[in-house]
Amino acid sequence: MSKQHHHALSFAGLIITVGIIFGDIGTSPLYVLKAITNADPIRDAHGHLIERGKLITDQLIMGALSCIFWTLTLQTTIKYVIITLRADNKGEGGIFSLYTLVRRKKKWLVIPAMIGGAALLADGIITPPISVSSAIEGLAYIPSMKHIPITPIVMAIIVLIFVIQQFGTKFIGRAFGPVMMIWFLMLGLVGILSLSADPSILKALNPYYAYDLLTHYPKGFWLLGAVFLCTTGAEALYSDLGHCGKENIRVSWIFVKSMLIINYFGQGAYLLSKHSDQYIFEENPFYMIVPEWFKLPAIIIATAAAIVASQALISGSFTLINEAIRLNLWPRVKVNFPSDIKGQLYIPSINWFLMFGCLGVVWVFRKSENMEAAYGLSIVLAMISTSVLLIFYMAKKHWNPIFRYLMITIFLFIEGGFAVAQVEKFPDGGYITLMIASLLIAVMYIIFKSKIIRNSIIDFVKVKSYLPILQKLSIDDQIPTYATHLVYLTSAERIDEVESKVFYSILEQQPKRAERYWFVHVITTDEPYTKEYKVTKHDENDLIRIDFKLGFRIQPKLDTMFKQVVEELVQNKEIEIRSRYACEYHHSDHIGDFKFIVIRKFLSNDNELPWFHKLIMNAYFFIKSRSLSEKNEFGLDPSSYVEENFPYVLSKAAPINLKRSE
């Protein structure tokens, strides 16, 4: 994959799309019907789980297949592939991209954005274990390998997947498309072989069978928790829109959905023909329909597909966090670019967080059927969040009111049903992903709310009123020169203002004399790849401001960007950058030194805050102390970087009533 996006509809674009977009949803045949047919837990007298099983009946299998088909049709095809993919932000997708399109409508929309983003990250801890485990567990169907321990193999594969992230996935990324094409073709082939024995099972396309299962089958409604697993990759599909483009996704989905449906129905046909009115216990229908001679190759292909699915979800998590940072919904963390592939990121803190989370899931649950209880509960929250944001996107685009209310009602009704059905999973493992999602939501809320509190007390002053004293300071040779060019980062949105603490830093205590003062402001735009700047001269020689407009997917490298802008100003003869003070030691092209001043805030003891604000701010500074420094965040050269501490006084404490003694 090269730097360019494969957005144009093409054969190469379709292959790449199959490899990048459909890994998560594509590996679902490994465990969906298995989860449905092993849904009933069988426990001993002490309540410990012995095994899982279910009686195979026409009503169960036909109803399950009908539910799967209509879930993929209504939820994945109509909601995501047809409707949600329209909500692209300059070609980029995902819940944060959708949020940026509608956030000016209602301020509270940040809440569903947080919930959806956190839920997707929590999903990243379950998808690799359940996909890899389901694939490797196929060894149990090969007599000579059935006693090989599964857990160590799964954990080793997961460690390998996460360790290679830091080196980039350019090499293995080239294999994603071919691997997933082989996987989907295998799904279709073994599905057709099984389906040909009993084509009458195609009657399950009739939605009546789904209705019959949910209303008349004992505890049929609760099977939706297992059915939902067939569409868990739909949200990731939307998140990866920017990698391939909507046309490639829509066309390739026709092929992918066909292969998935054929395989699901093939599994169903096998169960009804071979095990009708029989119990099956902890059996995987996927491997049951694979011919004996092909089982080992099928396991290898399934494992490769599970690795691709895991890789896609990990990459999506990196992109999600990078967007959250730009939208001020996540603390600043280190972001690396390990290869020249456009959009490929590596975030060490998230990588190791996901890895240890995945290993913990494997260690606790051991088998994929146990993991199914923890899978899906968080994703349904992400889907509901997307539906809420879609309401406002449709309104913004002036879609027909009848159509948009009908669609949203259908989506929320389906997702609400899935959410209720997932509640049954809560005590068996669903609480794990919900706890992880809740923790992530709390972090996002703390970062978001703390900025609101901080912005409410920032004191801005007019730059113009300080120009005379800066001009005087600049030429006062009684004061030693601090730097030739002094650069301050400012959050002031108005070009004629700056924080009062900036002038406090320059003028109070020991004045900082410089030949020229610069204010630099960074604006994160709703567009993903904006790279613009604007120059404002408050004074021709003494004070200049630069405003950078950077897209939310652009890594700010202020040191490089700032010096590049200065060079352009010099080349255009807009400024004279050489020192105004002659020195025999300076070369003719000497432009002096640059010193970046970053003012790092801390919470002053001189505060009396409401308990909730105090809790938020203490949590914020705790998180900030463990996150990326401004030096690394903005790519500043350590040799030209100075950090100053400045107290935050949010609510000044009342004077202490002191009594003077005689």
Side-chain angles (χ1 to χ4, degrees):
M1 184 175 175
S2 64
K3 276 190 174 184
Q4 66 181 9
H5 284 310
H6 297 274
H7 283 189
L9 183 63
S10 64
F11 179 74
L14 292 173
I15 298 295
I16 291 169
T17 301
V18 169
I20 294 176
I21 303 295
F22 300 111
D24 191 359
I25 201 168
T27 53
S28 56
L30 282 168
Y31 46 78
V32 172
L33 269 175
K34 176 186 171 188
I36 293 172
T37 56
N38 292 274
D40 291 343
I42 300 174
R43 304 180 186 274
D44 60 20
H46 302 288
H48 298 128
L49 181 68
I50 301 175
E51 57 185 350
R52 294 178 182 271
K54 211 165 186 67
L55 179 66
I56 302 302
T57 64
D58 283 11
Q59 186 183 27
L60 171 65
I61 300 303
M62 298 290 283
L65 293 176
S66 186
C67 284
I68 290 170
F69 173 79
W70 286 104
T71 297
L72 288 174
T73 299
L74 295 173
Q75 195 69 9
T76 312
T77 304
I78 296 179
K79 179 185 174 181
Y80 283 95
V81 175
I82 296 178
I83 294 179
T84 310
L85 288 185
R86 295 175 180 268
D88 68 297
N89 183 9
K90 305 294 183 180
E92 297 295 327
I95 194 161
F96 287 142
S97 288
L98 179 57
Y99 166 64
T100 60
L101 293 173
V102 300
R103 62 177 173 173
R104 289 185 175 86
K105 290 283 184 181
K106 301 286 184 182
K107 290 183 179 180
W108 61 266
L109 289 178
V110 70
I111 301 299
M114 289 178 187
I115 294 173
L120 282 171
L121 285 173
D123 177 52
I125 292 177
I126 300 294
T127 297
I130 193 173
S131 298
V132 176
S133 295
S134 297
I136 299 298
E137 284 168 2
L139 293 174
Y141 293 87
I142 301 177
S144 61
M145 298 183 177
K146 64 187 304 180
H147 298 298
I148 294 177
I150 301 299
T151 301
I153 298 175
V154 173
M155 296 181 80
I157 291 174
I158 287 175
V159 169
L160 179 64
I161 292 172
F162 283 99
V163 167
I164 64 172
Q165 298 302 314
Q166 58 193 305
F167 306 110
T169 54
K170 181 178 180 180
F171 175 73
I172 63 171
R174 295 171 181 167
F176 286 178
V179 165
M180 293 309 295
M181 283 296 298
I182 293 172
W183 166 252
F184 285 117
L185 289 172
M186 186 190 82
L187 289 182
L189 181 60
V190 297
I192 287 174
L193 291 175
S194 181
L195 187 59
S196 60
D198 185 16
S200 65
I201 201 169
L202 292 175
K203 293 186 298 183
L205 295 174
N206 187 336
Y208 168 78
Y209 291 98
Y211 169 79
D212 181 56
L213 177 75
L214 299 178
T215 57
H216 298 128
Y217 187 83
K219 295 185 177 180
F221 173 80
W222 301 104
L223 289 175
L224 281 178
V227 170
F228 179 72
L229 301 180
C230 76
T231 190
T232 50
E235 193 71 35
L237 175 155
Y238 174 46
S239 298
D240 288 327
L241 168 62
H243 291 287
C244 303
K246 65 184 72 173
E247 294 307 318
N248 282 318
I249 294 176
R250 286 171 175 164
V251 173
S252 57
W253 172 241
I254 298 172
F255 164 73
V256 169
K257 182 183 177 183
S258 300
M259 297 300 101
L260 291 174
I261 294 299
I262 289 172
N263 192 267
Y264 283 127
F265 275 66
Q267 292 182 41
Y270 175 88
L271 289 171
L272 287 181
S273 62
K274 302 292 185 180
H275 298 279
S276 183
D277 296 322
Q278 298 178 11
Y279 273 93
I280 64 170
F281 297 98
E282 298 188 0
E283 297 285 347
N284 191 335
F286 173 80
Y287 284 113
M288 292 165 73
I289 68 171
V290 176
E292 291 296 327
W293 61 269
F294 192 64
K295 276 190 167 55
L296 183 57
I299 293 169
I300 295 172
I301 295 171
T303 303
I307 291 172
V308 172
S310 301
Q311 174 60 50
L313 204 77
I314 294 166
S315 299
S317 298
F318 293 159
T319 301
L320 191 76
I321 286 295
N322 194 49
E323 293 175 7
I325 293 171
R326 304 291 165 243
L327 294 171
N328 195 56
L329 294 175
W330 194 259
R332 305 289 176 176
V333 293
K334 187 175 181 59
V335 179
N336 294 336
F337 298 86
S339 75
D340 60 357
I341 299 176
K342 186 178 178 69
Q344 185 174 99
L345 309 169
Y346 169 65
I347 303 180
S349 57
I350 299 301
N351 186 68
W352 305 125
F353 168 74
L354 292 177
M355 188 190 80
F356 286 113
C358 290
L359 293 176
V361 167
V362 175
W363 182 257
V364 170
F365 291 106
R366 301 287 174 162
K367 296 187 292 185
S368 62
E369 56 259 33
N370 299 332
M371 299 175 195
E372 291 155 8
Y375 195 39
L377 186 55
S378 61
I379 282 297
V380 75
L381 296 178
M383 290 185 171
I384 292 173
S385 299
T386 297
S387 295
V388 172
L389 296 175
L390 270 178
I391 296 172
F392 294 91
Y393 174 78
M394 291 178 175
K396 178 182 178 181
K397 293 297 182 179
H398 306 292
W399 288 22
N400 183 293
I402 297 176
F403 173 79
R404 71 172 185 254
Y405 287 127
L406 176 63
M407 287 293 99
I408 291 299
T409 300
I410 292 174
F411 297 150
L412 288 177
F413 177 77
I414 294 172
E415 289 158 1
F418 282 133
V420 173
Q422 296 283 348
V423 172
E424 190 182 46
K425 292 182 175 184
F426 186 84
D428 291 328
Y431 65 91
I432 292 180
T433 49
L434 208 57
M435 287 172 58
I436 295 170
S438 299
L439 175 64
L440 297 172
I441 291 169
V443 172
M444 291 184 183
Y445 182 77
I446 287 167
I447 300 301
F448 178 79
K449 183 65 176 178
S450 67
K451 184 172 184 181
I452 296 175
I453 296 172
R454 287 178 285 128
N455 286 346
S456 67
I457 54 89
I458 293 179
D459 181 24
F460 293 103
V461 295
K462 295 295 182 182
V463 173
K464 185 177 180 180
S465 61
Y466 284 86
L467 275 178
I469 194 169
L470 283 183
Q471 292 166 347
K472 183 178 179 181
L473 175 61
S474 180
I475 61 175
D476 188 349
D477 57 11
Q478 298 295 314
I479 300 174
T481 301
Y482 187 82
T484 307
H485 304 282
L486 203 54
V487 186
Y488 280 88
L489 303 182
T490 176
S491 62
E493 295 183 0
R494 292 176 58 96
I495 61 174
D496 61 338
E497 292 181 344
V498 74
E499 297 94 326
S500 60
K501 63 178 179 284
V502 170
F503 287 118
Y504 179 90
S505 171
I506 296 173
L507 301 173
E508 300 296 330
Q509 298 179 348
Q510 181 181 353
K512 295 181 178 66
R513 178 188 169 202
E515 295 181 18
R516 180 174 282 110
Y517 298 91
W518 302 80
F519 296 153
V520 174
H521 178 58
V522 179
I523 304 169
T524 302
T525 67
D526 288 346
E527 292 75 28
Y529 296 109
T530 304
K531 286 180 280 189
E532 300 175 358
Y533 73 91
K534 176 184 177 182
V535 177
T536 303
K537 295 182 181 180
H538 291 292
D539 178 83
E540 193 68 29
N541 293 316
D542 292 291
L543 186 57
I544 299 175
R545 170 172 166 140
I546 301 176
D547 288 271
F548 288 101
K549 287 187 176 181
L550 304 177
F552 63 83
R553 288 195 173 179
I554 298 297
Q555 176 74 2
K557 298 181 180 179
L558 280 191
D559 202 310
T560 303
M561 292 177 175
F562 174 77
K563 290 179 181 178
Q564 182 177 323
V565 170
V566 173
E567 288 175 3
E568 290 183 12
L569 293 175
V570 172
Q571 291 173 4
N572 296 336
K573 301 186 184 304
E574 295 181 57
I575 61 172
E576 178 64 42
I577 200 68
R578 288 184 303 173
S579 174
R580 283 174 275 160
Y581 309 103
C583 177
E584 61 179 306
Y585 304 110
H586 289 176
H587 298 291
S588 58
D589 60 348
H590 180 75
I591 61 173
D593 61 304
F594 290 82
K595 191 72 72 176
F596 284 84
I597 305 292
V598 175
I599 301 177
R600 191 174 181 87
K601 282 77 67 179
F602 64 91
L603 192 61
S604 170
N605 291 327
D606 192 18
N607 277 295
E608 283 191 0
L609 294 171
W611 70 268
F612 182 68
H613 284 188
K614 187 173 183 178
L615 179 67
I616 291 291
M617 294 307 299
N618 282 328
Y620 164 74
F621 281 107
F622 175 81
I623 294 171
K624 186 174 177 61
S625 67
R626 286 153 179 80
S627 58
L628 200 65
S629 67
E630 283 84 350
K631 176 186 68 177
N632 295 322
E633 173 189 346
F634 293 113
L636 300 178
D637 185 346
S639 65
S640 61
Y641 165 87
V642 175
E643 183 178 285
E644 293 184 352
N645 292 317
F646 189 86
Y648 254 133
V649 182
L650 302 173
S651 179
K652 195 170 182 63
I656 300 174
N657 187 18
L658 294 174
K659 183 178 180 180
R660 181 175 178 177
S661 60
E662 296 299 331

